[in-house]
């Protein structure tokens, strides 16, 4: 396993649209292991998407179970070819990102979603989720479509916030 390099703004590769996974083989699973090790490196991020390490396939990992917001969640999820099939409600909330290390921002997201995906062996998955976990998944799914949270803030003047120190145990990153 290996910790991979994270692409950061203004790297244009972060705007690239990722391709669906078609081969569920050992190479895919080895890459997912590296992506997970990268997510856990340093202060663990709640989520990571394959394009953040320059690998343009539709793969994301989300785990909000260790955050300080004690809400119901599905724990550790590896989502291959994820799609949102249902949205409900909306809410503003603060987000950060491994690829945007110097800022956090207020972004509007659906409060309740249903998703469909595949696991690393190609088996179908379905989840229904809400709140912080739903926000984290929407954030990661944006990455595989070449979107960052800073593309979604309503106003860069009032809804972007500079981080003072990027410290261990600080704000959760995705
Ligand atoms: Ni992110």
């Amino acid at each position: 396993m290996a910790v991979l390099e994270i692409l950061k703004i203004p790297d244009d590769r972060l705007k690239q649209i990722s391709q669906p996974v078609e081969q569920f083989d050992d190479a895919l699973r080895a890459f997912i292991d590296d992506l997970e090790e990268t997510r856990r490196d340093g202060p663990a991020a709640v989520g990571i998407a394959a394009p953040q390490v320059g690998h343009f396939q539709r793969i994301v990992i989300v785990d909000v179970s260790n955050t300080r917001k004690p809400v119901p969640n599905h724990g550790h999820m590896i989502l291959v070819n994820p799609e949102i099939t249902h949205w409900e409600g909306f809410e503003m909330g603060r987000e950060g990102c491994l690829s945007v290390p110097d800022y956090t921002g207020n972004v509007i997201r659906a409060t309740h979603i249903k998703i469909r995906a595949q696991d690393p062996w190609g088996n179908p998955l379905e989840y229904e989720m809400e709140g912080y976990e739903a926000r984290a998944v929407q954030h990661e799914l944006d990455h595989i479509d070449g979107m960052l949270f800073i593309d979604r803030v309503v106003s860069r003047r009032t809804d972007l916030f500079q981080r003072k120190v990027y410290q261990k145990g600080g704000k959760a990153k995705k």
Side-chain angles (χ1 to χ4, degrees), residues 92-104:
M92 177 96 92
R94 191 70 73 91
E95 297 185 12
C97 182
L98 293 170
S99 297
V100 187
D102 298 333
Y103 293 90
T104 61

Side-chain angles (χ1 to χ4, degrees), residues 47-49 52 95-100 139-140 143 147-149 173-174:
I48 193 167
Q52 289 183 277
E95 297 185 12
C97 182
L98 293 170
S99 297
V100 187
H139 175 111
E140 297 312 327
H143 277 297
M147 290 271 292
L148 297 172
F149 79 84
K173 305 179 306 303
K174 294 186 266 283

Side-chain angles (χ1 to χ4, degrees), residues 46-47 62 64 95 131-141 174:
V46 301
V62 172
V64 302
E95 297 185 12
Y132 187 60
E133 184 176 45
R135 172 173 298 277
V137 166
Q138 289 169 83
H139 175 111
E140 297 312 327
L141 264 59
K174 294 186 266 283

Side-chain angles (χ1 to χ4, degrees), residues 2-44:
V3 172
L4 307 169
E5 193 193 334
I6 303 269
L7 305 185
K8 299 188 175 78
I9 56 164
D11 194 315
D12 273 348
R13 288 174 290 175
L14 290 165
K15 296 179 181 168
Q16 198 167 316
I17 295 177
S18 292
Q19 298 301 308
V21 171
E22 285 166 3
Q23 309 246 33
F24 292 84
D25 54 12
D26 288 347
L28 172 71
R29 290 181 285 273
F31 167 72
I32 289 171
D33 286 348
D34 287 347
L35 189 63
E36 171 65 2
E37 194 175 347
T38 307
R39 183 184 74 83
R40 288 172 176 270
D41 187 50

